[in-house]
Amino acid sequence: NAGVTQTPKFQVLKTGQSMTLQCAQDMNHEYMSWYRQDPGMGLRLIHYSVGAGITDQGEVPNGYNVSRSTTEDFPLRLLSAAPSQTSVYFCASSGGPGTQYFGPGTRLTVL
Amino acid sequence: AQSVTQPDIHITVSEGASLELRCNYSYGATPYLFWYVQSPGQGLQLLLKYFSGDTLVQGIKGFEAEFKRSQSSFNLRKPSVHWSDAAEYFCAVGEETRGNEKLTFGTGTRLTIIP
Protein backbone atom coordinates (compact mmCIF):
# COMPACT_ATOMS: atom_id res chain seq x y z
CA ASN A 1 0.00 0.00 0.00
CA ALA A 2 1.90 3.03 -1.30
CA GLY A 3 -0.75 5.65 -0.47
CA VAL A 4 -0.53 8.71 -2.75
CA THR A 5 2.41 8.83 -5.14
CA GLN A 6 3.52 11.73 -7.32
CA THR A 7 5.99 11.87 -10.16
CA PRO A 8 8.31 13.51 -10.89
CA LYS A 9 9.69 14.90 -7.62
CA PHE A 10 11.44 17.77 -9.38
CA GLN A 11 10.99 19.33 -12.82
CA VAL A 12 12.41 22.31 -14.66
CA LEU A 13 10.56 23.63 -17.69
CA LYS A 14 11.03 26.48 -20.10
CA THR A 15 8.24 28.96 -20.66
CA GLY A 16 5.75 27.57 -23.16
CA GLN A 17 6.57 23.91 -22.64
CA SER A 18 3.92 21.45 -21.64
CA MET A 19 4.04 18.65 -19.15
CA THR A 20 1.92 16.36 -17.01
CA LEU A 21 2.30 15.86 -13.29
CA GLN A 22 1.30 12.36 -12.33
CA CYS A 23 -0.67 11.38 -9.25
CA ALA A 24 -1.79 7.91 -8.29
CA GLN A 25 -3.42 6.37 -5.23
CA ASP A 26 -4.01 2.76 -4.29
CA MET A 27 -6.64 3.27 -1.60
CA ASN A 28 -9.66 3.18 -3.94
CA HIS A 29 -10.57 6.73 -2.98
CA GLU A 30 -13.20 8.51 -5.01
CA TYR A 31 -12.08 12.04 -4.14
CA MET A 32 -8.79 13.41 -5.43
CA SER A 33 -7.45 16.93 -5.66
CA TRP A 34 -4.50 19.06 -6.68
CA TYR A 35 -3.09 21.95 -4.68
CA ARG A 36 -0.26 24.35 -5.28
CA GLN A 37 1.85 25.73 -2.46
CA ASP A 38 3.55 29.10 -2.73
CA PRO A 39 5.53 30.92 -0.02
CA GLY A 40 3.28 32.96 2.24
CA MET A 41 0.11 31.74 0.54
CA GLY A 42 -0.49 28.31 2.01
CA LEU A 43 -2.02 25.67 -0.24
CA ARG A 44 -4.59 26.59 -2.87
CA LEU A 45 -6.94 24.18 -4.58
CA ILE A 46 -6.44 23.89 -8.36
CA HIS A 47 -8.85 21.14 -9.44
CA TYR A 48 -10.62 18.27 -7.78
CA SER A 49 -12.50 15.13 -8.75
CA VAL A 50 -15.28 13.30 -6.91
CA GLY A 51 -14.95 10.17 -9.03
CA ALA A 52 -13.90 8.80 -12.40
CA GLY A 53 -15.14 11.04 -15.18
CA ILE A 54 -16.06 13.93 -12.85
CA THR A 55 -13.81 16.93 -12.31
CA ASP A 56 -14.35 20.50 -11.16
CA GLN A 57 -12.38 23.69 -10.70
CA GLY A 58 -10.94 24.91 -7.47
CA GLU A 59 -9.66 28.32 -6.47
CA VAL A 60 -6.83 28.69 -9.03
CA PRO A 61 -7.64 26.55 -12.12
CA ASN A 62 -6.32 28.81 -14.90
CA GLY A 63 -3.48 27.28 -16.90
CA TYR A 64 -4.17 23.74 -15.70
CA ASN A 65 -6.20 20.84 -17.08
CA VAL A 66 -7.22 17.61 -15.43
CA SER A 67 -9.03 14.43 -16.33
CA ARG A 68 -10.04 11.37 -14.34
CA SER A 69 -10.33 8.26 -16.46
CA THR A 70 -9.69 5.82 -13.60
CA THR A 71 -10.21 5.87 -9.85
CA GLU A 72 -6.47 5.49 -9.27
CA ASP A 73 -5.02 8.28 -11.40
CA PHE A 74 -5.52 12.03 -11.50
CA PRO A 75 -2.94 13.75 -13.74
CA LEU A 76 -2.47 17.50 -13.85
CA ARG A 77 -1.54 19.03 -17.22
CA LEU A 78 0.22 22.30 -17.87
CA LEU A 79 -0.43 23.10 -21.53
CA SER A 80 1.90 26.10 -21.82
CA ALA A 81 4.01 26.63 -18.73
CA ALA A 82 4.52 30.14 -17.36
CA PRO A 83 6.93 31.38 -14.67
CA SER A 84 3.89 32.09 -12.46
CA GLN A 85 3.36 28.34 -12.30
CA THR A 86 6.64 27.82 -10.45
CA SER A 87 5.44 26.17 -7.26
CA VAL A 88 5.25 22.98 -5.26
CA TYR A 89 2.31 20.83 -6.30
CA PHE A 90 0.55 18.41 -3.98
CA CYS A 91 -1.94 15.76 -4.87
CA ALA A 92 -4.35 14.42 -2.25
CA SER A 93 -6.96 11.71 -2.06
CA SER A 94 -9.77 11.10 0.38
CA GLY A 95 -12.04 8.21 1.24
CA GLY A 96 -14.42 10.24 3.36
CA PRO A 97 -14.68 13.30 5.58
CA GLY A 98 -11.46 14.20 7.31
CA THR A 99 -9.34 11.53 5.66
CA GLN A 100 -7.29 13.42 3.08
CA TYR A 101 -3.89 11.92 2.38
CA PHE A 102 -1.29 14.07 0.69
CA GLY A 103 1.44 12.96 -1.66
CA PRO A 104 5.07 14.02 -1.23
CA GLY A 105 4.84 16.85 -3.76
CA THR A 106 6.39 17.88 -7.07
CA ARG A 107 8.66 20.92 -7.13
CA LEU A 108 8.25 22.68 -10.49
CA THR A 109 10.41 25.52 -11.77
CA VAL A 110 9.46 27.36 -14.96
CA LEU A 111 12.24 29.46 -16.47
CA ALA B 1 -16.70 31.86 0.61
CA GLN B 2 -14.81 30.18 3.38
CA SER B 3 -11.49 31.56 4.55
CA VAL B 4 -8.84 30.92 7.18
CA THR B 5 -6.53 33.38 8.91
CA GLN B 6 -3.36 32.44 10.71
CA PRO B 7 -2.16 35.75 12.12
CA ASP B 8 1.30 34.57 13.15
CA ILE B 9 3.72 34.00 10.27
CA HIS B 10 6.58 32.82 12.49
CA ILE B 11 6.74 31.80 16.17
CA THR B 12 9.83 30.93 18.19
CA VAL B 13 9.44 28.86 21.35
CA SER B 14 11.93 27.37 23.77
CA GLU B 15 12.05 23.60 24.03
CA GLY B 16 9.80 22.49 26.89
CA ALA B 17 7.66 25.62 26.76
CA SER B 18 3.97 25.63 25.94
CA LEU B 19 2.69 26.50 22.48
CA GLU B 20 -0.45 28.05 21.05
CA LEU B 21 -0.93 28.66 17.34
CA ARG B 22 -3.87 30.81 16.37
CA CYS B 23 -6.44 30.12 13.67
CA ASN B 24 -9.58 32.05 12.78
CA TYR B 25 -12.03 30.92 10.14
CA SER B 26 -14.96 32.26 8.20
CA TYR B 27 -17.64 29.80 7.16
CA GLY B 28 -21.40 29.99 6.92
CA ALA B 29 -22.32 26.64 8.43
CA THR B 30 -20.78 24.36 11.04
CA PRO B 31 -17.23 24.01 9.81
CA TYR B 32 -15.00 21.04 9.39
CA LEU B 33 -11.68 22.21 10.83
CA PHE B 34 -8.23 20.73 10.54
CA TRP B 35 -4.64 21.26 11.56
CA TYR B 36 -1.86 19.91 9.36
CA VAL B 37 1.90 19.88 9.91
CA GLN B 38 4.55 20.04 7.21
CA SER B 39 8.19 19.26 7.90
CA PRO B 40 10.75 20.77 5.51
CA GLY B 41 10.59 19.17 2.07
CA GLN B 42 7.74 16.90 3.09
CA GLY B 43 4.05 16.58 2.41
CA LEU B 44 1.30 17.43 4.86
CA GLN B 45 0.35 15.27 7.81
CA LEU B 46 -2.99 15.57 9.60
CA LEU B 47 -2.60 16.46 13.28
CA LEU B 48 -6.25 16.61 14.26
CA LYS B 49 -9.72 17.46 13.03
CA TYR B 50 -13.04 18.77 14.32
CA PHE B 51 -16.40 17.91 12.81
CA SER B 52 -18.84 18.10 15.72
CA GLY B 53 -19.26 17.16 19.36
CA ASP B 54 -16.63 17.84 22.00
CA THR B 55 -15.03 21.18 21.24
CA LEU B 56 -11.64 20.09 22.63
CA VAL B 57 -10.01 17.77 20.13
CA GLN B 58 -6.99 15.59 20.79
CA GLY B 59 -4.55 14.81 18.03
CA ILE B 60 -1.30 13.06 17.37
CA LYS B 61 2.08 14.02 18.82
CA GLY B 62 0.48 15.49 21.96
CA PHE B 63 -1.35 18.30 20.19
CA GLU B 64 -4.87 19.48 20.96
CA ALA B 65 -7.14 22.18 19.58
CA GLU B 66 -10.23 23.91 20.87
CA PHE B 67 -13.15 24.97 18.69
CA LYS B 68 -14.75 28.21 19.86
CA ARG B 69 -17.76 29.08 17.74
CA SER B 70 -18.27 32.48 19.39
CA GLN B 71 -14.75 33.53 18.42
CA SER B 72 -14.60 31.63 15.09
CA SER B 73 -11.34 30.16 16.30
CA PHE B 74 -9.63 26.80 16.30
CA ASN B 75 -6.32 27.31 18.10
CA LEU B 76 -3.72 24.58 18.32
CA ARG B 77 -1.95 23.92 21.62
CA LYS B 78 0.77 21.76 23.06
CA PRO B 79 1.82 21.88 26.71
CA SER B 80 5.50 21.18 26.15
CA VAL B 81 7.20 21.39 22.75
CA HIS B 82 10.04 19.20 21.55
CA TRP B 83 12.75 20.11 19.06
CA SER B 84 11.11 17.73 16.59
CA ASP B 85 7.99 19.94 16.54
CA ALA B 86 9.83 22.53 14.44
CA ALA B 87 7.82 22.65 11.22
CA GLU B 88 5.17 24.66 9.43
CA TYR B 89 1.60 24.36 10.65
CA PHE B 90 -1.49 24.91 8.56
CA CYS B 91 -5.04 25.39 9.71
CA ALA B 92 -7.76 24.49 7.19
CA VAL B 93 -11.53 24.63 6.87
CA GLY B 94 -13.39 22.06 4.81
CA GLU B 95 -16.47 22.56 2.66
CA GLU B 96 -18.44 19.35 2.34
CA THR B 97 -18.48 18.14 -1.26
CA ARG B 98 -20.23 14.86 -2.03
CA GLY B 99 -19.04 13.08 1.08
CA ASN B 100 -15.61 14.64 1.19
CA GLU B 101 -14.40 18.15 1.69
CA LYS B 102 -12.66 20.84 -0.29
CA LEU B 103 -10.02 22.36 1.94
CA THR B 104 -9.20 26.04 2.25
CA PHE B 105 -5.88 26.55 3.98
CA GLY B 106 -4.45 29.39 5.98
CA THR B 107 -1.09 30.81 5.03
CA GLY B 108 0.72 28.81 7.69
CA THR B 109 2.75 29.45 10.84
CA ARG B 110 6.39 28.49 10.90
CA LEU B 111 7.49 27.19 14.29
CA THR B 112 11.10 27.43 15.40
CA ILE B 113 12.27 25.69 18.57
CA ILE B 114 15.28 27.00 20.45
CA PRO B 115 17.21 24.94 23.02
Side-chain angles (χ1 to χ4, degrees), chain A residues 30-31 35 37 40-45 48 50 54 57-59 88 90 94-105 107, chain B residues 6 9 32 34 36 38 40-46 49 51 88 90 95-108:
Chain A
E30 292 293 329
Y31 184 90
Y35 295 85
Q37 182 179 26
M41 303 192 72
L43 282 79
R44 293 178 292 168
L45 181 65
Y48 66 98
V50 298
I54 307 170
Q57 297 181 350
E59 180 185 354
V88 182
F90 288 98
S94 174
T99 63
Q100 292 215 28
Y101 295 90
F102 284 82
R107 185 174 295 274
Chain B
Q6 294 182 248
I9 296 173
Y32 295 169
F34 307 85
Y36 285 85
Q38 183 181 35
Q42 303 296 313
L44 277 76
Q45 181 182 22
L46 178 67
K49 60 190 176 188
F51 283 3
E88 189 147 23
F90 293 94
E95 175 187 353
E96 194 275 337
T97 303
R98 295 184 57 168
N100 288 276
E101 66 276 339
K102 293 192 298 181
L103 297 177
T104 298
F105 285 87
T107 52

Side-chain angles (χ1 to χ4, degrees), chain A residues 1-36:
Chain A
N1 188 330
V4 179
T5 58
Q6 291 183 238
T7 56
K9 293 188 186 307
F10 301 94
Q11 183 70 50
V12 179
L13 293 178
K14 294 181 179 179
T15 297
Q17 288 185 316
S18 64
M19 80 159 295
T20 299
L21 307 186
Q22 301 292 344
C23 175
Q25 52 94 6
D26 60 0
M27 297 173 282
N28 202 34
H29 288 168
E30 292 293 329
Y31 184 90
M32 297 184 72
S33 53
W34 277 102
Y35 295 85
R36 60 177 289 172

Side-chain angles (χ1 to χ4, degrees), chain B residues 10-110:
Chain B
H10 183 204
I11 285 183
T12 299
V13 177
S14 298
E15 190 169 14
S18 63
L19 171 70
E20 182 169 26
L21 303 183
R22 296 183 291 166
C23 172
N24 293 97
Y25 69 90
S26 173
Y27 189 66
T30 299
Y32 295 169
L33 294 164
F34 307 85
W35 274 100
Y36 285 85
V37 60
Q38 183 181 35
S39 297
Q42 303 296 313
L44 277 76
Q45 181 182 22
L46 178 67
L47 283 176
L48 47 78
K49 60 190 176 188
Y50 171 79
F51 283 3
S52 64
D54 193 345
T55 57
L56 185 62
V57 180
Q58 301 298 321
I60 62 171
K61 305 185 180 187
F63 285 93
E64 67 178 26
E66 186 171 12
F67 170 59
K68 294 185 177 180
R69 184 186 300 275
S70 61
Q71 298 177 20
S72 297
S73 69
F74 189 56
N75 294 348
L76 182 71
R77 300 195 295 248
K78 187 170 185 178
S80 176
V81 298
H82 185 261
W83 64 266
S84 60
D85 293 324
E88 189 147 23
Y89 291 80
F90 293 94
C91 181
V93 61
E95 175 187 353
E96 194 275 337
T97 303
R98 295 184 57 168
N100 288 276
E101 66 276 339
K102 293 192 298 181
L103 297 177
T104 298
F105 285 87
T107 52
T109 298
R110 184 161 60 93

